[in-house]
Amino acid sequence: MKEILLCKQGELVLKGLNRRWFEDLLSKRLRECLKPYGNFKTWTSQSTTYVEPTDDFADIDGAFDACLKVFGFVSISRAVVCEKNIDDIKKKAAEYLPQYLAGKTSFKAEARRSDKKFPLTSPQLAAEVGGAVLEVMPNLKVRMDDPEITVRIELRETNAYIHAGAFKGAGGMPVGSNGKAMLLLSGGIDSPVAGYMMSKRGLNLDAVHFESFPYTSERAKEKVLQLARLVSVYSGNIYVHVISLTHIQEELKRLCDEEYFTLLLRRFMMRLAEKVAIRNRCHALITGESLGQVASQTLAALNVTDSVVNMPVFRPCIGMDKEEIISISRKINTFETSILPYEDCCTVFTPKHPKTRPEIAQVLEQEQKIDIEALEKEAMESLQTIKIEPEA
């Protein structure tokens, strides 16, 4: 039996005359994700993208897992291909479905026909398939309301397809359909989640990471690169731009009042991130901040840090509590890496009593004590870029 994948589109079905453009982006991303798993043919018809192995070496299990992580699909089903005649449909149903119905006590069958010339109506087709299943699994009960599993028969242009349930897809919009943004990626829990969430809304990602060697270690940097690798499973390749903040932090500690240290550092990060974003044709910044979570994430503090940049700053975690963010981090497999105990530049020289309600005039007064332009120039000269690709 030939098994294929049926990937159902989500929001794309609402698009108008430019829907084809969105579908092309989705198909491109899908092909990238399928490459490690062998040779597959893909095509789209009636809001469904078909993924068909073209030889016996193609890994359909790996392809299925990959499709679950492609933004733009709301559900993925494994289906068996049938000829468009009732005998072959019943035969394949009896052979293919028991593996999915084993251990279940109830089911129902539903049919959809895009080919109205087929001699059976949808209810008749569903009844025939349900009967074929009961012949090989007589202990099952047919339950039209709230069955444990629903068997579906889809009659399309050239073939019929049978599957037993759909798995929830990644949803969202195809990567690249809404432009490109720069993620401020730390080693914490929040920023990888923020990158994932904005990639889900169709953004291509680059990332900027700030290190403070020797106060932070090479292992801390490798941790961040691994987080980028885990996010790239969903977003595709990510270029991580690493910048040293060591001298900036030392100058802030030497010249500025301690309570303003975090705010001043955040303003440097935002300015530098914007510079890197402009160089790499990004049109927004992304951070993992959650309102009120720490002193630098109060409303007043966010206003102070945002005032140094001109491009939009996206904060998808802003209204979430920590447990909600952790839940997503577990889902995307970044949590265990995020909690590895390696230093973060934001923990270096942390003030005992940071300002939570700063006034911009006071912050500007502090910045007059340092040579911002020279420090930024020096930091940008330290920039190194690392291409991160998802692991198969």
Side-chain angles (χ1 to χ4, degrees):
M1 290 185 293
K2 178 187 286 187
E3 190 175 34
I4 71 167
L5 305 178
L6 306 180
C7 307
K8 301 297 178 70
Q9 295 177 0
E11 293 179 53
L12 272 66
V13 302
L14 304 176
K15 300 302 177 183
L17 296 177
N18 59 349
R19 176 173 168 177
R20 179 63 181 271
W21 179 76
F22 286 90
E23 289 185 338
D24 288 345
L25 285 174
L26 181 56
S27 295
K28 178 183 177 183
R29 175 68 187 136
L30 175 61
R31 289 192 295 271
E32 290 173 355
C33 292
L34 292 174
K35 276 182 183 178
Y37 303 103
N39 298 316
F40 292 87
K41 175 184 176 183
T42 66
W43 72 97
T44 299
S45 176
Q46 297 178 319
S47 304
T48 299
T49 297
Y50 297 77
V51 178
E52 178 183 352
T54 57
D55 57 47
D56 294 337
F57 300 102
D59 179 2
I60 192 75
D61 296 326
F64 174 74
D65 290 338
C67 289
L68 291 173
K69 298 177 176 67
V70 175
F71 292 131
F73 296 130
V74 292
S75 70
I76 315 294
S77 300
R78 299 178 73 137
V80 65
V81 182
C82 310
E83 296 176 16
K84 283 172 61 175
N85 66 72
I86 190 58
D87 290 335
D88 193 57
I89 291 172
K90 290 169 63 176
K91 178 177 180 291
K92 296 283 179 59
E95 294 174 354
Y96 181 73
L97 292 173
Q99 62 183 316
Y100 295 103
L101 298 174
K104 308 295 184 185
T105 60
S106 64
F107 82 107
K108 74 173 180 178
E110 291 182 347
R112 288 186 178 181
R113 301 176 308 146
S114 59
D115 180 1
K116 302 304 182 183
K117 296 179 181 179
F118 192 76
L120 298 180
T121 65
S122 293
Q124 289 171 337
L125 180 56
E128 290 285 342
V129 170
V133 170
L134 290 173
E135 285 184 13
V136 294
M137 303 187 75
N139 293 328
L140 277 175
K141 302 293 183 185
V142 176
R143 183 182 296 164
M144 302 309 292
D145 296 322
D146 195 28
E148 283 189 69
I149 193 166
T150 299
V151 170
R152 290 186 168 84
I153 310 97
E154 300 188 23
L155 209 65
R156 301 218 173 214
E157 297 92 337
T158 58
N159 292 100
Y161 305 94
I162 300 174
H163 58 92
F167 291 78
K168 187 176 181 181
M173 299 288 290
V175 171
S177 60
N178 279 315
K180 184 179 178 185
M182 182 67 66
L183 169 67
L184 280 74
L185 183 61
S186 71
I189 296 171
D190 304 340
S191 57
V193 170
Y196 161 83
M197 293 175 69
M198 294 313 302
S199 183
K200 183 176 182 176
R201 296 312 307 157
L203 285 177
N204 268 321
L205 298 181
D206 268 22
V208 59
H209 172 64
F210 299 101
E211 64 175 1
S212 299
F213 185 81
Y215 304 105
T216 59
S217 67
E218 187 65 24
R219 295 181 77 179
K221 176 180 167 183
E222 289 301 319
K223 169 186 172 180
V224 169
L225 297 180
Q226 177 60 15
L227 288 172
R229 191 168 290 110
L230 293 169
V231 173
S232 74
V233 171
Y234 295 89
S235 69
N237 296 343
I238 298 176
Y239 288 90
V240 180
H241 310 278
V242 182
I243 297 177
S244 173
L245 289 183
T246 304
H247 192 208
I248 289 174
Q249 291 182 283
E250 290 172 340
E251 287 296 281
L252 291 176
K253 180 176 175 59
R254 185 173 70 89
L255 298 171
C256 300
D257 294 348
E258 181 186 9
E259 61 185 346
Y260 288 97
F261 180 85
T262 302
L263 281 169
L264 295 170
L265 182 64
R266 291 294 297 173
R267 282 164 65 89
F268 268 108
M269 288 179 174
M270 297 295 278
R271 283 189 293 253
L272 291 168
E274 185 177 51
K275 290 179 186 296
V276 180
I278 292 170
R279 281 190 186 183
N280 291 278
R281 300 181 181 180
C282 298
H283 300 288
L285 303 179
I286 304 169
T287 76
E289 291 152 323
S290 172
L291 188 62
Q293 187 176 127
V294 294
S296 63
Q297 296 175 21
T298 64
L299 184 58
L302 293 175
N303 278 326
V304 166
T305 55
D306 278 7
S307 65
V308 297
V309 296
N310 295 311
M311 61 176 53
V313 181
F314 295 146
R315 295 184 170 95
C317 301
I318 195 70
M320 302 170 69
D321 63 34
K322 199 66 178 182
E323 287 305 311
E324 291 173 305
I325 298 171
I326 288 173
S327 177
I328 297 174
S329 74
R330 290 187 186 278
K331 170 186 168 183
I332 64 175
N333 198 33
T334 57
F335 179 75
E336 295 300 329
T337 302
S338 291
I339 62 174
L340 291 173
Y342 305 133
E343 313 87 344
D344 183 287
C345 75
C346 293
T347 64
V348 179
F349 308 138
T350 303
K352 293 181 180 179
H353 304 288
K355 274 281 186 182
T356 58
R357 295 192 178 99
E359 295 182 8
I360 189 65
Q362 297 168 330
V363 175
L364 293 174
E365 184 179 332
Q366 291 291 316
E367 287 186 336
Q368 290 177 0
K369 301 177 182 181
I370 52 180
D371 189 338
I372 293 174
E373 185 175 346
L375 288 170
E376 287 185 358
K377 183 176 184 295
E378 179 186 356
M380 289 297 291
E381 289 172 353
S382 74
L383 186 147
Q384 57 174 312
T385 298
I386 303 163
K387 181 181 180 180
I388 300 297
E389 301 180 72
E391 293 177 345

